[in-house]
Amino acid sequence: MFKIAIVGRPNVGKSTLFNRLVGKKLALVDDLPGVTRDRRAGTAHLGDLTFTIIDTAGLETGAPATLAGRMRAQTEAAIAEADAIFFMIDARAGIMPDDRAFASLLRRADKPLILIANKAEGRAGTAGAQEAFDLGFGDPVGLSAEHGDGLSDLYSALREAL
Ligand code: GDP
Ligand code: MG
């Protein structure tokens, strides 16, 4: 089956989106960054699309010791495994240095990529829109994984990217 990996720094809402698309609480959602211990796969449904979704930690215990090394190991494994990438940022927090680190890894990947600005319920996230665009992946799809807003935009973006 077609595989999509959700990639991004800890706490942006990757596991929340994973759970929403899979329809079961397979992934652990926690306020503590990096609680996803390993990559998890599930069958996702989005509109008429069915695909395998891979949740990543963004940080991995037992991986190389530096932050950059841990992110690189997770991200590169996910990139290698996936046919397309959901790159998630936090619309409320704005673009952080770790987001840029992920972006530079992902820029080199030759896979369809959709930039997702999560936690965009209400009017959050409009302030960081230019910064997000400057990552070089086009305009982000605004999403609220928690509330389920923006899923039809995500569907459209995915259709367009494939
Ligand atoms: P991960 O580390 O990227 O997998 O992030 P999680 O899915 O574990 O979520 C981290 C935190 O962000 C949790 O407290 C979630 O409830 C919260 N969160 C996830 N999605 C949203 C959203 O759309 N809006 C808001 N406000 N919070 C969210
Ligand atoms: Mg997680």
Side-chain angles (χ1 to χ4, degrees):
M1 207 186 311
F2 194 82
K3 276 190 192 168
I4 301 180
I6 314 175
V7 171
R9 64 178 176 79
N11 217 36
V12 295
K14 299 181 297 299
S15 297
T16 304
L17 177 60
F18 176 94
N19 285 337
R20 182 165 286 281
L21 293 178
V22 170
K24 291 182 209 143
K25 302 246 163 165
L26 292 181
L28 187 57
V29 175
D30 200 281
D31 292 328
L32 294 171
V35 293
T36 310
R37 299 286 176 215
D38 46 25
R39 294 198 300 285
R40 258 167 240 256
T43 302
H45 300 281
L46 184 61
D48 57 0
L49 299 174
T50 301
F51 50 90
T52 296
I53 190 101
I54 303 161
D55 185 25
T56 65
L59 283 173
E60 199 173 55
T61 50
T66 64
L67 178 66
R70 291 196 300 271
M71 291 196 303
R72 184 181 291 267
Q74 266 274 335
T75 302
E76 285 182 347
I79 289 169
E81 202 174 347
D83 300 299
I85 308 289
F86 286 163
F87 176 28
M88 185 177 277
I89 58 172
D90 181 331
R92 296 183 171 222
I95 305 302
M96 315 274 277
D98 284 349
D99 295 315
R100 296 188 202 283
F102 276 107
S104 55
L105 285 180
L106 290 166
R107 216 168 279 132
R108 282 180 241 136
D110 191 21
K111 306 245 168 147
L113 185 149
I114 294 165
L115 179 63
I116 298 175
N118 190 40
K119 310 193 186 182
E121 66 267 15
R123 297 170 69 183
T126 45
Q130 182 61 45
E131 272 192 327
F133 182 80
D134 289 345
L135 290 174
F137 300 113
D139 274 320
V141 175
L143 193 81
S144 174
E146 196 160 87
H147 297 258
D149 303 336
L151 289 170
S152 62
D153 293 337
L154 182 60
Y155 171 84
S156 303
L158 183 54
R159 274 279 186 209
E160 231 168 83
L162 299 182

